[in-house]
């Protein structure tokens, strides 16, 4: 194995990828995870179960030289991941997936911007929908760039969800949490009309800087 490769980074991708598949948030055909460390990109391969990730199939690139150091065919969304790392300082991990409730919002072009749940306001402020871009293209991250500058988790119209963070575990947990919030909102609307929290609380929660 190339000496530039950090297997502990691969271990993290293998572990979190498996957990996300157990939660049915990723599968063989949908979802991709990556970590950038020391200008080395580690990203899941295309058409591979996240329960079957190994040192041999995780794709590793030296971003300085463009050389592929390890793995087979990389995810079709590698362009999106590469673009996401350039949006703002401090991004070390990116996850894209088609979590069902969040993706339903993306398909409907409906942001999660309701004011009735303090957890949404505290952790996300809101979850916007970036305009549609063709999957696998440079266009998709360019359409999302302005939204990612202000938020760390966004929906991509007619596509899915994109989470960026300082580490992979946090990027994953944001998706898990946001998926639950989307599910709660759907159930609340089936029961009745969600009721906003007091305006003073909304302003306080929305005024908190978001962590990366």
């Amino acid at each position: 194995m190339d000496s530039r490769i950090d297997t502990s980074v691969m271990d993290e991708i293998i572990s979190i990828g498996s957990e996300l598949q157990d939660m049915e948030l990723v599968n063989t055909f949908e979802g991709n995870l990556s970590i950038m460390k020391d200008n080395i990109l580690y990203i899941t391969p295309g058409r591979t179960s996240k329960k079957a990730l190994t040192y041999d199939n995780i794709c590793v690139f030296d971003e300085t030289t463009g050389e592929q150091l390890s793995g087979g065919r990389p995810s079709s969304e590698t362009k999106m991941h590469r673009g996401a790392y350039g949006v703002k300082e401090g991004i070390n991990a990116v996850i894209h997936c088609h979590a069902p409730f969040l993706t339903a919002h993306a398909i409907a072009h409906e942001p999660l911007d309701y004011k009735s749940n303090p957890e949404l306001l505290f952790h996300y402020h809101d979850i916007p929908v970036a305009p549609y871009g063709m999957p696998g293209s440079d266009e998709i991250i360019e359409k999302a760039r302005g939204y990612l500058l202000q938020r760390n988790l966004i929906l991509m119209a007619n596509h899915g969800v994109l989470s960026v963070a300082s580490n992979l575990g946090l990027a994953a947990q944001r998706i898990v949490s946001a998926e639950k919030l989307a599910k709660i909102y759907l159930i609340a609307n089936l029961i009745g009309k969600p009721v906003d929290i007091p305006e003073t609380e909304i302003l306080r929660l929305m005024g908190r800087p978001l962590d990366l």
Side-chain angles (χ1 to χ4, degrees):
M1 183 177 292
D2 192 292
S3 62
R4 288 169 285 182
I5 295 175
D6 185 341
T7 55
S8 68
V9 174
M10 291 178 153
D11 288 335
E12 190 172 4
I13 291 174
I14 290 168
S15 174
I16 293 174
S18 178
E19 290 174 5
L20 291 176
Q21 181 145 337
D22 284 340
M23 290 183 277
E24 299 185 346
L25 298 176
V26 298
N27 56 50
T28 298
F29 302 106
E30 299 177 330
N32 23 83
L33 301 79
S34 73
I35 292 175
M36 184 78 77
K37 183 178 181 182
D38 299 328
N39 217 34
I40 303 293
L41 174 66
Y42 303 76
I43 188 165
T44 49
R47 292 180 176 264
T48 304
S49 167
K50 279 57 178 186
K51 302 285 286 184
L53 296 174
T54 67
Y55 289 173
D56 290 331
N57 63 26
I58 292 175
C59 301
V60 185
F61 295 88
D62 185 326
E63 293 297 279
T64 301
T65 65
E67 177 187 1
Q68 182 166 353
L69 307 179
S70 180
R73 185 179 69 176
S75 166
S76 61
E77 297 292 4
T78 299
K79 287 182 179 180
M80 179 173 66
H81 283 252
R82 283 194 167 115
Y85 286 108
V87 169
K88 56 189 175 184
E89 292 292 326
I91 296 175
N92 300 313
V94 176
I95 300 176
H96 162 61
C97 71
H98 301 162
F101 289 94
L102 290 172
T103 301
H105 273 263
I107 289 173
H109 292 208
E110 288 288 341
L112 283 160
D113 57 1
Y114 58 98
K115 304 298 191 296
S116 52
N117 193 319
E119 300 302 318
L120 175 67
L121 299 173
F122 183 81
H123 292 294
Y124 307 95
H125 293 351
D126 58 40
I127 302 175
V129 182
Y132 177 78
M134 182 183 293
S137 70
D138 292 316
E139 174 191 31
I140 192 168
I141 192 62
E142 291 308 314
K143 294 285 185 69
R145 185 176 298 277
Y147 297 84
L148 285 175
L149 283 170
Q150 304 299 323
R151 299 290 184 265
N152 298 322
L153 185 141
I154 66 168
L155 304 176
M156 295 175 292
N158 304 92
H159 191 179
V161 58
L162 182 63
S163 178
V164 300
S166 56
N167 64 80
L168 194 66
L170 184 55
Q173 285 306 310
R174 284 196 178 119
I175 291 172
V176 172
S177 170
E179 176 74 351
K180 184 177 180 181
L181 290 170
K183 183 177 181 180
I184 289 170
Y185 187 55
L186 174 63
I187 295 171
N189 276 283
L190 293 173
I191 294 171
K193 183 179 179 180
V195 178
D196 288 354
I197 63 174
E199 183 70 21
T200 53
E201 280 294 286
I202 294 171
L203 293 174
R204 183 180 70 84
L205 292 166
M206 292 286 283
R208 170 188 174 270
L210 294 174
D211 298 327
L212 183 59

